[in-house]
Each structure stands twice: as structure tokens, then as C-alpha cells.
Amino acid sequence: MTDTYPSGAQNDGMRNTIIEAARELFAKFGYKKTTMEDIAQALRKGKSSLYYYFKNKEEIFQAVIEMEEELLFSKLHKVVDSENDAKSKLREYIITRMETIHQLENYLKALKDDMLGGYEFFGRLKTKGEKEEAKLLIQILEEGTADNTFQVKNVPMAAVAFATALKGLEVPLFKSQNNFDDFKVQIENILNILFYGLIKR
């Protein structure tokens, strides 16, 4: 029986397989310690076969980070586009954001590892992510201001403040928690702090 899939679909399938295998290795051993040979062995293929799809390890890692970023913002867009009220959206946004980033080990490492800052791609990644997050937060805050739930004088600045606060809390939050239950408790504490003075009483 001959293969009826077009070559493009086959290439995309193999690329995704490589990305998934590399994603696990990068998460377990880190970018620096993972080699092209490691990825090839995980796939039970020769190292030369990887170069048909990717130029080098950096390009594979870039694909992994892009995939994880897409996963994150896909979930955040669902929260923002839901039928919930603005207060519920903001709460769910923060929970979803923190829990998802906590699970996307490579994405978090890429954003926090100064050693990776020399790569132009990671600078673009941070800028892109910051702009996307600002847009989503602005949408929530505008909805809450319009229905008189939030009291915000400058929505864009408030969105920047929220995003900055969340980024600043990522590393200490993730490092200090040994289990997922503790993690959820601390997220609730963060929500209480962030909402204080924002919700009209």
C-alpha cells in the first residue's frame, strides 16, 4: 500500500515529532546540556536526519518555545473571549496564566535565563509576549471599567502594572512551591493582593 499523504503533511508531522521529543529533553536536561545526538537517539534516528528539518539545536529550541507560547496564549484568549464578567475573567486569567507557565518549563526558562538573552529570537519572543499580554489585559480592564466593576483611570498603564506584577511573582512563586496544592493556595493569595483596591466595594 502506497502512502497517500502529501510530502508537506509528512514533513509537518515529522517536524512536530522532533519538536515534541526535543521539548521533553530540554525540559529535563536544559538547553545547554541537550544535544542534537540526544534528540536523534530519543527518536531512534540518525542525527543527520534532523538537519533535513532544522538547521541546528537553536532552531529546534526556538520551535519548542514558539509552540509553548502558542499553547499559553491560546488558553488566555479562551478566558478573555468567554462570556464571564470582567471580575471573573481577570481572576481566571491570572490562575490560567500562572498554572500554564508553571507547566511550560521551556517557555519559563527561556524568559528567565539570562544566558539565552544573547539570542535575537528570545528578545523578539519577550517583546511579542508582552504586547499580547497587554492587549488581553486591556480588554478585560476596559470591560470591567465599562460595567462599573473596576475603577481604573488609565487602563493601558493598569494593564502594564498587572503584567509587571505577574512577571515579578513568577520565579519566587514557582521556586517556593513543592506541590501543586501549595501552588494554588499562593495563587489565591496573589489574587487577593492584586484585587485589593481594584474592585469597587
Side-chain angles (χ1 to χ4, degrees):
M1 182 175 178
T2 58
D3 193 345
T4 58
Y5 289 101
S7 59
Q10 290 176 337
N11 287 344
D12 288 344
M14 190 58 209
R15 276 180 60 88
N16 291 335
T17 299
I18 293 171
I19 291 169
E20 287 291 351
R23 182 186 178 196
E24 292 184 15
L25 292 172
F26 288 138
K28 186 175 182 179
F29 301 110
Y31 173 73
K32 298 294 182 182
K33 292 184 178 180
T34 301
T35 66
M36 292 290 276
E37 184 67 35
D38 294 331
I39 299 170
Q41 287 182 356
L43 294 166
R44 296 183 179 180
K45 291 185 174 293
K47 185 170 66 172
S48 60
S49 64
L50 300 183
Y51 291 104
Y52 179 79
Y53 302 94
F54 297 96
K55 293 179 181 178
N56 48 42
K57 183 179 73 170
E58 180 186 340
E59 194 171 272
I60 297 177
F61 191 57
Q62 177 174 328
V64 168
I65 299 304
E66 288 176 337
M67 185 193 73
E68 292 195 350
E69 183 184 55
E70 287 176 6
L71 287 171
L72 170 63
F73 282 103
S74 175
K75 290 185 177 183
L76 294 180
H77 272 280
K78 287 181 180 179
V79 172
V80 176
D81 295 336
S82 72
E83 297 298 321
N84 293 332
D85 59 70
K87 180 181 176 182
S88 298
K89 282 185 182 182
L90 188 55
R91 181 180 184 280
E92 187 62 26
Y93 181 96
I94 294 170
I95 292 173
T96 300
R97 181 191 188 281
M98 289 303 201
E99 289 184 348
T100 303
I101 291 179
H102 186 246
Q103 295 162 3
L104 301 178
E105 295 183 51
N106 296 298
Y107 183 75
L108 180 61
K109 288 177 183 176
L111 293 179
K112 300 302 180 184
D113 191 343
D114 293 334
M115 294 294 292
L116 297 173
Y119 294 107
E120 182 182 349
F121 161 71
F122 295 112
R124 295 198 306 271
L125 175 76
K126 288 184 180 181
T127 300
K128 177 185 174 185
E130 288 167 359
K131 288 181 178 178
E132 186 71 12
E133 178 148 51
K135 183 173 70 174
L136 294 173
L137 287 169
I138 285 171
Q139 183 176 333
I140 296 174
L141 293 176
E142 284 181 340
E143 289 179 13
T145 302
D147 67 15
N148 211 33
T149 300
F150 301 151
Q151 45 185 2
V152 182
K153 294 181 179 179
N154 188 321
V155 169
M157 285 300 297
V160 171
F162 258 93
T164 302
L166 292 174
K167 287 182 184 297
L169 289 165
E170 286 170 1
V171 172
L173 175 63
F174 298 151
K175 283 185 176 180
S176 64
Q177 305 311 315
N178 295 320
N179 62 66
F180 193 67
D181 288 336
D182 288 343
F183 181 72
K184 289 196 292 186
V185 168
Q186 289 307 315
I187 288 180
E188 291 295 337
N189 289 337
I190 289 170
L191 285 167
N192 290 334
I193 293 169
L194 291 176
F195 273 118
Y196 182 77
L198 178 65
I199 304 300
K200 283 186 174 181
R201 291 173 172 79

